């Protein structure tokens, strides 16, 4: 060890510095490959951004000297986990991401004195479009949207008003299509935000060219789609209820349940009026009385003297003939009645059919082997009663519940897939790249040891050249030639070594000249 230290000291500070620089460079290269060769440690700042928002966000991050990475073709931005919160606060200060539209914010910086009815109407339409786009973008599965709304407008000198219409273009975030529930939600959101707009006047399409909702559909078509969805949801609900109940008793993967539901979606309105004869009440009463008398005179003589003007006649004594009296009375009664308006808008289940398949039980045979045996009739009957109770069985409605015991296919006896080779499993395990990085780092370190450190170590550990003690010039009394280990400034070998170190190119040229002269001689 002491000899190694002495040899290192003999190299001088220049060579020791070169060796240290090479060692530090190799270690730095290995550390760089180990650190940067793995997956990116950055965290996602925002995903599903529009290109305009992504551009504004990267500008703000660059101004704040926050390192970032762009992914997903410019729609996602990632930063270091330690700077994630700082970046979000910074973007919130700049109102980013702002979305693809401003909505009613376009009225914030407008002068109301320089507008017109036409421009105000255009701005109103743009504001509605922007607000709807910002609302639709919040739905899961939608990356961005475009909305064009046509507001209802009455023509001049016409009683006809053009109905409101709208079209929606969706850019989906994933490969999965948009479900029916989200489509109905968009239809109702747009229809509720625009005055006079009906869902039947809205068309929806996605960026793949699929028509999700067609304009011009009547209400019946929309109701048919909802009825089908309701029927499917009812069947799934009953299936899950029966399966969860039987799994608790028989165990998992022992039951298969299929449910079919027939439903009546007719919507009827019925009006019925009933009268109660015992509930009569006097509503009005009218009464009239009539009385008349008829009389006659005793003097019934008719003559000229009686008819002459100024003729005096003796007053006749009236004679009563008959008298009449009449009384009328009218009474109106109000009989109580009941008017019932019944609207059947809720679907009605007309029949339920449930098929339940039970796996056979495993029992030990006479020789101790495991065999399958169908379940007993009593067990099947109990399970059938449970299923009937769970689904609300109604015999008058025609419901059917069928429970059968049947051996399920054993997955262990199925044809097994061909086993992958060790190399194929290693290639698919994802360990190839990490292992390759380790191998490359090891090869670089090994090359550095063989090329740089091995010659140095060999030179340091080489034994010194011994000096000939008997070699002398002019006899034993002549002083011996100094060897390399002799100390002193008059050592010729050390002087030659230092001269070669200072002028390596000239020394090589001299040696080559000697060799060439020796070869020609």
């Amino acid at each position: 060890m002491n000899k190694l230290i002495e040899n290192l000291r003999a190299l001088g500070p220049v060579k020791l510095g070169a060796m240290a620089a090479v060692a530090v460079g190799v270690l730095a290269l290995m550390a760089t490959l180990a650190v940067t060769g793995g997956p990116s440690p950055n965290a996602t700042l925002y995903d599903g951004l529009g290109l305009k928002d992504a551009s504004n966000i990267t500008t703000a991050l660059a101004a704040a000297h926050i390192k970032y990475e762009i992914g997903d073709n410019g729609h996602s931005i990632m930063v270091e986990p330690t700077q994630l919160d700082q970046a979000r606060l910074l973007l919130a200060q700049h109102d980013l991401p702002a979305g693809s539209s401003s909505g009613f914010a376009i009225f914030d910086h407008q002068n109301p004195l320089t507008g017109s009815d036409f421009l105000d109407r255009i701005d109103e339409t743009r504001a509605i479009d922007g607000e709807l786009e910002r609302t639709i973008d919040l739905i899961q599965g939608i990356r961005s949207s475009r909305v064009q709304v046509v507001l209802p407008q009455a023509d001049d000198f016409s009683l006809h008003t053009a109905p409101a219409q709208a079209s929606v273009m969706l850019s989906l975030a994933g490969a999965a299509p948009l479900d029916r529930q989200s489509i109905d939600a968009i239809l109702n959101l747009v229809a509720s935000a625009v005055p006079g707009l009906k869902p039947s006047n809205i068309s929806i399409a996605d960026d793949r060219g699929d028509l999700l909702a067609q304009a011009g559909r009547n209400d019946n078509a929309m109701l048919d789609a909802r009825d089908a969805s309701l029927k499917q949801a009812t069947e799934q609900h009953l299936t899950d209820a029966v399966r969860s109940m039987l799994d608790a008793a028989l165990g998992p993967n022992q039951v298969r349940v299929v449910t079919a539901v027939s439903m009546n979606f007719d919507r009827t309105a019925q009006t019925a009026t009933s009268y109660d004869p015992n509930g009569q009440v006097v509503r009005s009463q009218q009464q009239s009385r009539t009385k008349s008398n008829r009389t006659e005179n005793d003097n019934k003589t008719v003559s000229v003297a009686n008819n002459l003007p100024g003729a005096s006649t003796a007053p006749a004594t009236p004679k009563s003939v008959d008298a009449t009296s009449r009384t009328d009375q009218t009474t109106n009664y109000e009989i109580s009645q009941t008017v019932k308006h019944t609207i059947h808008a809720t679907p009605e289940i007309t029949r339920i059919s449930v098929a339940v398949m039970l796996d056979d039980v495993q029992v030990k045979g006479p020789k101790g082997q495991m065999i399958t045996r169908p379940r007993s009739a009593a067990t099947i009957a109990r399970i059938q009663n449970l299923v009937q109770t769970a689904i609300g069985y109604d015999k008058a409605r025609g419901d059917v519940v069928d429970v059968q015991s049947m051996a399920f296919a054993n997955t262990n006896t199925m044809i097994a897939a061909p086993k992958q080779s060790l190399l194929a499993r290693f290639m698919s395990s994802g360990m190839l790249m990490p292992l390759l990085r380790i191998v490359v780092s090891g090869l670089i370190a090994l090359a550095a040891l063989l090329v740089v450190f091995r010659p140095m170590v060999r030179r340091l550990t080489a034994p010194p050249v011994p000096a000939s003690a008997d070699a002398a010039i002019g006899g034993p009394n002549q002083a011996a030639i100094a060897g390399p280990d002799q100390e002193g400034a008059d050592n010729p070998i050390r002087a030659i070594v230092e001269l070669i170190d200072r002028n390596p190119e000239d020394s090589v040229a001299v040696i080559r000249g000697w060799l060439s002269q020796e070869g020609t001689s």
Side-chain angles (χ1 to χ4, degrees):
M1 189 66 183
N2 294 330
K3 187 175 182 180
L4 179 61
I5 295 175
E6 292 178 359
N7 293 331
L8 291 175
R9 290 178 178 176
L11 291 176
V14 177
K15 294 181 179 180
L16 289 176
M19 292 175 58
V22 172
V24 171
V26 172
L27 294 177
L29 179 61
M30 295 177 62
T32 302
L33 291 175
V35 173
T36 62
S40 176
N42 291 339
T44 302
L45 178 61
Y46 283 108
D47 192 8
L49 296 171
L51 296 180
K52 183 177 180 181
D53 281 339
S55 176
N56 295 333
I57 289 175
T58 54
T59 303
L61 294 178
H65 304 287
I66 297 177
K67 296 182 180 180
Y68 61 88
E69 290 185 3
I70 301 175
D72 194 14
N73 297 325
H75 295 287
S76 64
I77 298 177
M78 296 168 288
V79 298
E80 296 181 359
T82 56
Q83 295 181 330
L84 181 62
D85 297 336
Q86 179 184 358
R88 288 183 176 175
L89 292 176
L90 175 67
L91 296 179
Q93 182 180 1
H94 292 82
D95 294 332
L96 293 174
S100 58
S101 57
S102 55
F104 285 101
I106 63 176
F107 296 104
D108 293 341
H109 305 287
Q110 288 189 358
N111 188 357
L113 301 178
T114 60
S116 63
D117 293 340
F118 176 76
L119 294 179
D120 291 342
R121 187 173 183 84
I122 295 298
D123 291 339
E124 181 184 4
T125 305
R126 290 175 55 196
I128 294 176
D129 295 344
E131 292 294 335
L132 288 175
E133 290 172 1
R134 296 173 64 179
T135 304
I136 294 175
D137 291 345
L138 299 177
I139 299 178
Q140 185 177 4
I142 297 177
R143 173 177 296 171
S144 60
S145 62
R146 291 284 295 170
V147 179
Q148 288 83 32
V149 174
V150 179
L151 296 177
Q153 183 177 5
D155 297 334
D156 296 336
F157 307 103
S158 175
L159 299 177
H160 176 71
T161 301
Q165 297 179 353
S167 61
V168 181
M169 184 68 182
L170 303 177
S171 177
L172 304 182
L178 200 63
D179 56 354
R180 188 67 212 177
Q181 186 176 2
S182 299
I183 297 174
D184 292 340
I186 295 174
L187 288 174
N188 287 276
L189 281 174
V190 177
S192 302
V194 180
L197 180 58
K198 297 181 179 180
S200 59
N201 292 334
I202 303 173
S203 61
I204 303 176
D206 59 10
D207 54 354
R208 304 186 184 101
D210 297 333
L211 185 62
L212 305 180
Q214 182 179 2
R217 294 190 310 168
N218 52 16
D219 295 337
N220 294 330
M222 298 181 62
L223 291 176
D224 292 340
R226 295 176 183 175
D227 293 345
S229 177
L230 179 61
K231 179 177 180 295
Q232 183 179 3
T234 304
E235 293 175 349
Q236 187 64 36
H237 173 70
L238 294 176
T239 300
D240 294 341
V242 174
R243 184 187 295 112
S244 62
M245 178 185 62
L246 296 181
D247 285 345
L250 305 178
N253 299 326
Q254 298 292 320
V255 180
R256 299 292 185 271
V257 181
V258 178
T259 305
V261 177
S262 299
M263 305 181 71
N264 182 14
F265 294 97
D266 295 339
R267 293 164 176 81
T268 59
Q270 183 180 0
T271 302
T273 304
S274 60
Y275 297 92
D276 186 9
N278 297 324
Q280 58 182 359
V281 179
V282 176
R283 181 178 182 182
S284 62
Q285 188 175 15
Q286 182 179 3
Q287 185 176 8
S288 62
R289 295 179 180 180
T290 305
K291 185 176 182 182
S292 62
N293 293 324
R294 187 169 63 87
T295 58
E296 292 182 355
N297 295 327
D298 293 338
N299 187 11
K300 298 182 179 180
T301 303
V302 179
S303 61
V304 177
N306 294 334
N307 292 318
L308 290 177
S312 60
T313 57
T317 302
K319 181 179 182 181
S320 175
V321 175
D322 57 5
T324 304
S325 177
R326 181 179 178 181
T327 302
D328 295 331
Q329 182 176 355
T330 302
T331 303
N332 296 324
Y333 293 92
E334 187 70 27
I335 299 177
S336 62
Q337 63 177 355
T338 302
V339 179
K340 182 185 297 184
H341 297 277
T342 305
I343 299 176
H344 297 280
T346 303
E348 180 182 1
I349 297 177
T350 58
R351 185 180 180 183
I352 300 177
S353 300
V354 181
V356 180
M357 186 171 62
L358 307 176
D359 192 11
D360 290 346
V361 294
Q362 300 284 335
V363 297
K364 289 186 178 181
K367 298 182 180 180
Q369 73 278 13
M370 299 300 296
I371 60 175
T372 59
R373 186 180 64 184
R375 299 181 185 271
S376 62
T379 303
I380 294 177
R382 289 199 302 270
I383 293 176
Q384 185 173 5
N385 292 332
L386 287 174
V387 175
Q388 291 178 355
T389 305
I391 66 172
Y393 177 82
D394 189 357
K395 184 177 181 181
R397 191 171 53 189
D399 295 347
V400 177
V401 176
D402 188 9
V403 181
Q404 298 289 338
S405 180
M406 193 175 301
F408 289 177
N410 190 359
T411 56
N412 297 328
T413 60
M414 302 288 288
I415 299 177
K419 295 184 178 180
Q420 293 182 349
S421 62
L422 181 61
L423 180 60
R425 284 183 292 176
F426 176 74
M427 295 291 291
S428 61
S429 63
M431 298 178 60
L432 178 61
M433 292 304 297
L435 183 60
L436 185 60
R437 287 193 295 269
I438 295 175
V439 171
V440 171
S441 302
L443 292 177
I444 294 175
L446 182 60
L449 290 175
L450 294 177
V451 176
V452 179
F453 292 102
R454 185 179 179 183
M456 292 183 179
V457 173
R458 181 180 298 176
R459 182 177 177 182
L460 292 174
T461 57
V465 179
S468 179
D470 296 332
I473 299 176
N477 296 327
Q478 183 75 20
I481 299 175
D485 293 337
Q486 183 176 349
E487 297 294 337
D490 55 351
N491 190 342
I493 296 178
R494 183 175 296 277
I496 293 173
V497 170
E498 293 179 356
L499 181 61
I500 292 174
D501 290 338
R502 289 194 299 270
N503 303 296
E505 296 180 356
D506 297 338
S507 302
V508 172
V510 172
I511 295 174
R512 288 178 179 175
W514 290 348
L515 294 177
S516 61
Q517 293 177 3
E518 184 179 355
T520 55
S521 60

